[in-house]
């Protein structure tokens, strides 16, 4: 059963800062990035109540400071959404320079371009980002690169700006649409999310609402790939099959059987899979966030596969770990050239980042013997109860507390 989408939830939680009131968010994934997000909201004065493991009530009536703690905000990427929300609500905000997985340069120039176009002043000093504005006014903004973060952040900031903001060359990921739906549930007037152009008509006020986060496309994709890699028979539920089309298509091209239900997908394998080429791209292309798990599957698939990472400059670090397990991979620039081997061998490997960690779990499941993965705190940032979910499918996997 797939959990709520991390990359939607990490934007929706900070977006509750837009209002002076109460929101209840359901289907929140139980991951460490959400816990950090809640800690930051609390430090700003929000009251957080967990109704159950997946439901949070956030009361943002008494926001007491516009300075988010630098140590917490610089720990993870999505802290940049505090900027859009607090700028709109309070006209000023200070956060630590956003951190996150080390995937190469992760600039925030497109966020800044958007905030400045809305009338804000942005200063970066001593590892902190300071953004302030007397008032926000609508603007036409054409993003230079397709950015999930900048699209969502500027959309959040523009919800109450005077006039109609038009964002062009925007990201179309399911989580962008989900955040727009959440903002509209609070009374925003946003049209076009999921297309290249988003129009945001500024409203005077937003109000609290109840909202349920969409299922996690990336967690679902990871389990689909794990099913194919282990030649299993896995039905993945609580998903939106449309969001998984590029992954389903690639698995079918390899020879796997993928059967879609209304809110589920079943992956089985009844013959030998073929190597394929994969190139990551913004939605609806093949998601960068399942590229690393996919390269594990390709490492045991007959023939040569080329995996080209076009979003991040450094997202092949996991291939060094896979090579410790016997994979034959050569990285040239942004492309990994993978020659499928019969079997991987268990080894001690490192979860170099979040999705690399999930990739190592799949590698461990298909390898001969035992695999030990260290630095698993990366995995806990994005996969709720990963070992329990795999154990329920028959995997021999356990968390070793040291
Ligand atoms: N970029 C810029 N300037 C900007 C923003 C982005 O040049 O101001 C570039 C980036 O360097 C990158 C490309 O644009 O080359 C796309 O970056 P994007 O802004 O879309 O990425 P992000 O918002 O920082 C989110 C996810 C990532 C996911 C990417 C792409 C969150 C918190 N993170 O990052 O998720 O890989 O979109 O889909 O939503 C993950 O979950 O493992 C993860 C890394």
């Amino acid at each position: 059963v797939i959990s709520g989408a991390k990359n939607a939830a990490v934007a929706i939680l900070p977006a509750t800062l837009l209002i002076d009131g109460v929101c209840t968010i359901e289907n929140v994934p139980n991951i460490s990035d959400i816990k950090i997000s809640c800690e930051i909201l609390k430090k700003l004065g929000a009251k957080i109540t967990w109704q159950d493991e997946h439901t949070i009530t956030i009361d943002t009536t008494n926001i007491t400071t516009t300075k988010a703690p630098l140590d917490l905000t610089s720990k993870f990427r999505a802290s940049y959404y505090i900027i859009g929300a607090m700028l709109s609500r309070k006209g000023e905000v200070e956060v630590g320079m956003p951190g996150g997985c080390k995937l190469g340069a992760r600039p925030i120039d497109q966020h800044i371009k958007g905030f400045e176009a809305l009338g804000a002043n942005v200063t970066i000093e001593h590892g902190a980002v300071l953004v302030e504005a007397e008032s926000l006014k609508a603007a036409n903004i054409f993003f230079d690169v397709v950015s999930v973060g900048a699209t969502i952040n500027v959309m959040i900031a523009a919800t109450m700006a005077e006039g109609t903001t038009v964002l062009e060359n925007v990201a179309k990921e399911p989580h962008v649409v989900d955040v727009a739906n959440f903002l509209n549930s609070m009374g925003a007037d946003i049209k076009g999310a999921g297309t290249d152009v988003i129009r945001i008509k500024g409203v005077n006020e937003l109000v609290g609402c109840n909202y349920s986060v969409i299922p996690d496309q990336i967690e679902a994709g990871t389990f689909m790939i794990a099913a194919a890699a282990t030649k299993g028979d896995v039905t993945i539920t609580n998903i939106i099959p449309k969001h998984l089309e590029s992954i389903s298509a690639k698995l079918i091209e390899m020879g796997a059987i993928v059967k879609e239900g209304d809110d589920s997908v079943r992956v089985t394998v009844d013959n030998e899979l073929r190597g394929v080429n994969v190139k990551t791209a913004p939605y609806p292309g093949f998601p960068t966030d399942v590229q690393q798990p996919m390269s594990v599957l390709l490492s045991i698939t007959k023939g040569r596969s080329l995996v080209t990472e076009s979003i991040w400059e450094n997202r092949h670090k996991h291939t060094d770990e896979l090579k410790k397990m016997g994979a034959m991979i050569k990285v040239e620039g942004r492309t990994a050239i993978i020659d499928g081997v019969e079997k991987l061998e268990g080894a001690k490997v490192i979860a170099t980042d979040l999705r690399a960690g999930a990739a190592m779990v799949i590698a461990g499941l298909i390898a001969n013997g035992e695999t030990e993965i260290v630095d698993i705190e990366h995995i806990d940032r994005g996969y709720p109860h990963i070992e329990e979910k795999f154990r329920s499918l028959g995997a021999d996997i356990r968390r070793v507390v040291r």
Side-chain angles (χ1 to χ4, degrees):
V1 180
I2 295 306
S3 301
K6 161 178 129 17
N7 289 342
V10 294
I12 288 172
L13 263 55
T16 62
L17 289 166
L18 284 167
I19 60 152
D20 174 347
V22 181
C23 286
T24 296
I25 315 295
E26 295 163 21
N27 204 28
V28 177
N30 186 345
I31 50 175
S32 61
D33 267 11
I34 290 296
K35 287 174 192 138
I36 299 178
S37 194
C38 288
E39 279 313 300
I40 297 172
L41 290 176
K42 277 196 218 162
K43 297 266 183 202
L44 293 169
K47 248 176 70 189
I48 309 252
T49 315
W50 285 88
Q51 307 296 350
D52 58 43
E53 198 198 326
H54 307 292
T55 308
I56 318 182
T57 296
I58 306 173
D59 181 346
T60 49
T61 310
N62 287 313
I63 295 306
T64 47
T65 173
T66 57
K67 288 189 182 170
L70 298 192
D71 54 336
L72 284 180
T73 44
S74 54
K75 255 193 201 162
F76 87 127
R77 190 75 191 151
S79 54
Y80 47 41
Y81 295 131
I82 305 274
I83 305 178
M86 289 293 276
L87 179 65
S88 175
R89 165 107 180 250
K90 296 279 190 190
E92 62 174 36
V93 58
E94 182 182 322
V95 303
M97 202 57 189
C101 289
K102 297 193 170 35
L103 312 173
R106 298 188 75 176
I108 56 164
D109 58 303
Q110 297 304 303
H111 303 237
I112 294 172
K113 172 175 163 162
F115 297 140
E116 287 179 340
L118 295 175
N121 287 319
V122 181
T123 321
I124 299 179
E125 49 187 34
H126 311 303
V129 189
L130 289 100
V131 187
E132 50 197 351
E134 292 254 310
S135 65
L136 295 178
K137 294 217 166 38
N140 280 13
I141 301 158
F142 196 106
F143 289 111
D144 302 322
V145 293
V146 177
S147 160
V148 169
T151 301
I152 293 177
N153 218 350
V154 180
M155 184 168 76
I156 291 172
T159 46
M160 290 186 279
E162 197 188 318
T164 299
T165 297
V166 181
L167 307 181
E168 294 190 65
N169 196 25
V170 295
K172 296 181 277 202
E173 267 66 5
H175 30 290
V176 173
V177 179
D178 202 41
V179 179
N181 287 342
F182 167 67
L183 295 169
N184 284 340
S185 301
M186 291 208 290
D189 186 346
I190 301 174
K191 294 197 171 79
T195 74
D196 292 318
V197 183
I198 297 179
R199 287 189 169 74
I200 307 142
K201 191 169 168 202
V203 295
N204 290 333
E205 201 196 8
L206 297 173
V207 292
C209 69
N210 284 11
Y211 193 78
S212 182
V213 178
I214 51 161
D216 197 302
Q217 173 207 25
I218 306 304
E219 190 196 15
T222 305
F223 277 93
M224 289 171 76
I225 291 165
T230 55
K231 297 196 165 46
D233 178 355
V234 179
T235 303
I236 297 151
T237 62
N238 186 33
I239 55 140
I240 299 173
K242 172 95 191 132
H243 295 166
L244 300 166
E245 276 176 347
S246 62
I247 303 163
S248 300
K250 206 39 90 177
L251 290 174
I252 291 167
E253 192 182 326
M254 293 178 73
I257 301 160
V258 180
K259 287 218 172 84
E260 282 181 8
D262 289 342
D263 66 351
S264 65
V265 66
R266 179 177 173 191
V267 180
T268 50
V269 174
D270 68 358
N271 54 11
E272 193 169 24
L273 299 180
R274 298 177 286 279
V276 291
N277 295 338
V278 175
K279 187 170 184 186
T280 64
Y283 189 81
F286 193 91
T288 170
D289 296 340
V290 288
Q291 177 265 104
Q292 292 154 305
M294 190 65 178
S295 59
V296 174
L297 170 59
L298 295 172
S299 75
I300 51 140
T301 302
K302 198 171 180 186
R304 172 167 283 196
S305 300
L306 303 182
V307 177
T308 304
E309 173 56 56
S310 46
I311 309 291
W312 301 113
E313 62 195 20
N314 193 3
R315 212 173 199 183
H316 285 305
K317 274 185 281 184
H318 64 295
T319 57
D320 285 336
E321 302 307 306
L322 276 179
K323 282 195 272 188
K324 291 181 191 164
M325 302 176 75
M328 279 180 45
I329 306 180
K330 201 168 131 207
V331 177
E332 283 182 3
R334 286 187 174 220
T335 300
I337 303 158
I338 305 176
D339 287 305
V341 295
E342 290 263 306
K343 206 71 189 140
L344 297 179
E345 296 298 325
K348 183 170 174 176
V349 292
I350 304 167
T352 51
D353 58 64
L354 164 58
R355 309 299 173 188
M360 288 308 125
V361 171
I362 298 174
L365 293 176
I366 57 181
N368 279 329
E370 197 170 270
T371 296
E372 184 179 319
I373 307 169
V374 297
D375 292 352
I376 58 166
E377 65 280 2
H378 288 296
I379 304 176
D380 292 332
R381 289 193 31 231
Y383 292 90
H385 304 300
I386 190 167
E387 69 274 30
E388 277 131 61
K389 288 193 185 186
F390 273 118
R391 231 176 0 242
S392 75
L393 295 168
D396 180 359
I397 174 171
R398 64 188 190 281
R399 183 178 290 260
V400 183
V401 183
R402 288 177 202 266

